[in-house]
């Protein structure tokens, strides 16, 4: 049986090993303090030495999207090429300072996925395409996330999720059944927003540094 492969560098023929979209929930259930926890948590995760190194080795491209209800998705930080550690530090600072766009709208996860899918047309030089969705509620408006899985698969896009279960202790299961898709896709659970910084760091480390061999590709969850 083939072993798990940790493939960090871009493969021959690709200038970029990973295009990663960080898609963050801005729905009405997320208050100002919780928003700031997410932005600060993402910034600190990017500053983690192992994550920063993996991003640079992959020559990754990273984008930040804020999303909430139907028709409300916006690029907060456009694609950033991470060629060295200074680039990663600059991205972390940009995300940490990003201002919130919306406050009081619904949760349209499928719409966020479609919006993110369109953004990958700007980074066709990247080998892997991943959408990292974090949120605290189930989709309740617009296209159902499962209904866009086929079109995501056609573009070779993987979707992973971080479920913040502060107000819904079934959210990780919902993410596993309705959100995550693609080879090796997984969901991570955070009990509260206070757990977000640690969980997003673990999630990014797994997402960026681990690439499973063909025989080991599977969908799953991480309840750490």
């Amino acid at each position: 049986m083939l072993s798990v492969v940790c493939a960090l560098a871009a493969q021959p023929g690709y200038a970029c090993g990973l295009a990663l979209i960080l898609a963050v929930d801005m729905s009405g259930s997320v208050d100002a303090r919780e928003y700031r926890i997410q932005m600060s948590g993402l910034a600190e995760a990017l500053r983690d030495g192992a994550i920063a190194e993996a991003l640079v080795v992959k020559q990754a491209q990273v984008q930040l999207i804020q999303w909430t209800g139907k028709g409300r998705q916006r690029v907060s930080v456009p694609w950033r090429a991470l060629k060295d550690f200074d680039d990663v530090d600059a991205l972390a600072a940009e995300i940490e300072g990003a201002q919130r766009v919306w406050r009081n709208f619904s949760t349209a996860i499928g719409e966020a996925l479609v919006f993110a899918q369109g953004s990958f047309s700007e980074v066709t030089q990247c080998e892997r395409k991943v959408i990292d969705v974090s949120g605290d509620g189930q989709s309740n408006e617009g296209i159902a996330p499962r209904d866009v899985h086929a079109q995501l698969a056609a573009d070779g896009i993987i979707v992973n999720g971080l479920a913040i279960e502060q107000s819904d202790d079934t959210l990780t299961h919902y993410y596993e059944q309705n959100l995550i898709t693609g080879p090796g896709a997984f969901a991570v659970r955070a009990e509260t927003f206070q757990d977000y910084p640690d969980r997003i760091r673990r999630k990014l480390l797994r997402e960026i540094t681990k690439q499973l061999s063909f025989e080991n590709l599977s969908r799953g969850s991480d309840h750490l």
Side-chain angles (χ1 to χ4, degrees), residues 157-169:
I157 296 169
I158 296 168
V159 180
N160 299 321
L162 193 162
I164 305 166
E165 293 192 343
Q166 186 156 302
S167 57
D168 181 355
D169 61 8

Side-chain angles (χ1 to χ4, degrees), residues 37-152:
I37 287 172
Q38 291 181 89
M39 295 300 103
S40 296
L42 275 171
E44 286 307 305
L46 291 169
R47 293 180 180 121
D48 178 274
I51 292 173
E53 182 175 13
L55 288 167
V56 171
V57 170
K58 281 183 172 291
Q59 296 289 282
Q61 296 264 357
V62 177
Q63 180 183 87
L64 176 70
I65 288 175
Q66 294 186 35
W67 61 273
T68 174
K70 186 175 180 180
R72 292 183 171 88
Q73 305 87 31
R74 184 175 298 179
V75 173
S76 291
V77 178
W79 288 111
R80 297 296 185 227
L82 306 181
K83 298 181 179 181
D84 55 37
F85 291 107
D86 287 342
D87 289 337
V88 179
D89 287 341
L91 173 64
E94 200 169 1
I95 289 176
E96 194 166 34
Q99 297 301 304
R100 185 172 184 166
V101 181
W102 298 284
R103 295 181 184 277
N104 298 307
F105 294 96
S106 300
T107 305
I109 298 176
E111 306 280 335
L113 294 177
V114 172
F115 182 84
Q117 180 183 14
S119 288
F120 286 114
S121 64
E122 301 172 28
V123 285
T124 56
Q125 75 278 22
C126 294
E127 180 188 6
R128 296 177 64 231
K129 294 175 282 188
V130 178
I131 304 173
D132 178 326
V133 176
S134 60
D136 73 337
Q138 300 182 21
S139 192
N140 56 23
E141 186 173 85
I143 306 166
R146 285 189 64 87
D147 290 347
V148 300
H149 282 185
Q151 67 190 62
L152 294 169

Side-chain angles (χ1 to χ4, degrees), residues 1 4 10 19 24 55 89 104 136 157 181 189 197 215-216 223:
M1 178 178 290
V4 173
V24 184
L55 288 167
D89 287 341
N104 298 307
D136 73 337
I157 296 169
T181 186
R189 173 177 176 262
E215 290 189 10
N216 288 290
H223 294 274

